[in-house]
Amino acid sequence: MANPGLQMLGFTLAFIGWVALIACTAMPQWKMSSYAGDNIVTALAIYEGLWMSCAMQSTGQMQCKMFESLMKLDSILHVTRALMIIGIILGVAAMLIASIGMKCTTCLADDKDKKNRVATVGGAVFIISGLSALIGTSWYGNKIARDFYSAFAPVNTRYEFGQALFVGWAGAALCIMGGAFLCCSWPRKQQSSYHAKNYPKARNATPDKQFV
């Protein structure tokens, strides 16, 4: 029998991770201006995300502008957008599938084996969703790191990791962890406790004594 507590824990972790992926995709703080130089003006902070770029003044006022032309954007940005959207869509599918197969629901209650299989499939889809988001955020973060350490990049145009990347990494980890818990809730096949007993062989019915 599947462990309902482990299923609920896995589903909760994966759901929190899915919400974090949505927040990460919408946040503009994927990369932020670096203050690693001597002549950096700290009165203005520049942020860039997947959909917009923002500038925050020292007074706390933020102004954002959506990216207008898709043709001018970097190919890595397009790939990251696609991977994050795929991860979110897979998360929706995983929640629907896993909710059908969980022990706390009445769907497929007549067939417990099929219900356990559906829950395992939902966990696997959660893992794929987390991996998709993990690849997207890591690829984008790798580009930020390469541009930061590039000798040809001016000091004033260097960026560092923004808060959205850390939210995305945490959300991807939660999705993978929750999906793994759902997959681990699959019950092991119980071996039959019945063992054939070895009875002693029946003795020969022929009497030992010989009659004359």
Side-chain angles (χ1 to χ4, degrees):
M1 183 177 181
N3 189 342
L6 190 62
Q7 284 185 343
M8 184 60 67
L9 176 61
F11 186 86
T12 302
L13 291 176
F15 177 76
I16 296 174
W18 177 75
V19 173
L21 294 185
I22 296 178
C24 167
T25 306
M27 291 173 63
Q29 293 91 353
W30 276 68
K31 63 180 181 179
M32 55 183 297
S33 55
S34 175
Y35 304 117
D38 297 332
N39 299 323
I40 302 298
V41 179
T42 59
L44 186 66
I46 300 176
Y47 301 96
E48 284 192 12
L50 299 181
W51 316 99
M52 66 185 71
S53 61
C54 299
M56 177 179 288
Q57 300 178 1
S58 59
T59 57
Q61 183 180 3
M62 178 181 290
Q63 295 179 351
C64 297
K65 181 180 180 182
M66 300 291 294
F67 295 137
E68 297 178 354
S69 177
L70 295 176
M71 303 301 295
K72 294 182 179 180
L73 298 178
D74 193 356
S75 59
I76 295 181
L77 185 61
H78 289 292
V79 175
T80 305
R81 282 180 175 181
L83 289 173
M84 296 303 295
I85 293 175
I86 290 173
I88 293 173
I89 294 175
L90 289 177
V92 175
M95 284 189 292
L96 295 176
I97 297 172
S99 61
I100 295 174
M102 292 179 65
K103 299 294 292 183
C104 59
T105 60
T106 58
C107 298
L108 301 177
D110 298 334
D111 193 342
K112 294 182 179 180
D113 185 63
K114 183 180 293 185
K115 192 175 183 66
N116 294 330
R117 291 178 184 273
V118 171
T120 304
V121 171
V125 177
F126 265 128
I127 293 176
I128 298 174
S129 172
L131 289 176
S132 177
L134 183 62
I135 293 173
T137 51
S138 300
W139 197 354
Y140 194 93
N142 180 54
K143 180 181 182 299
I144 295 174
R146 286 189 289 106
D147 292 342
F148 183 86
Y149 291 108
S150 176
F152 302 99
V155 178
N156 296 336
T157 61
R158 293 181 180 179
Y159 289 88
E160 296 181 357
F161 296 156
Q163 295 90 340
L165 281 179
F166 298 102
V167 174
W169 285 327
L174 288 176
C175 286
I176 295 174
M177 189 181 304
F181 284 159
L182 285 171
C183 292
C184 292
S185 65
W186 177 274
R188 296 182 179 180
K189 293 183 178 180
Q190 297 180 354
Q191 297 180 355
S192 176
S193 58
Y194 174 78
H195 297 283
K197 295 182 179 180
N198 295 325
Y199 294 97
K201 296 182 179 180
R203 295 182 180 180
N204 192 356
T206 306
D208 295 335
K209 295 180 180 181
Q210 295 181 359
F211 296 94
V212 180

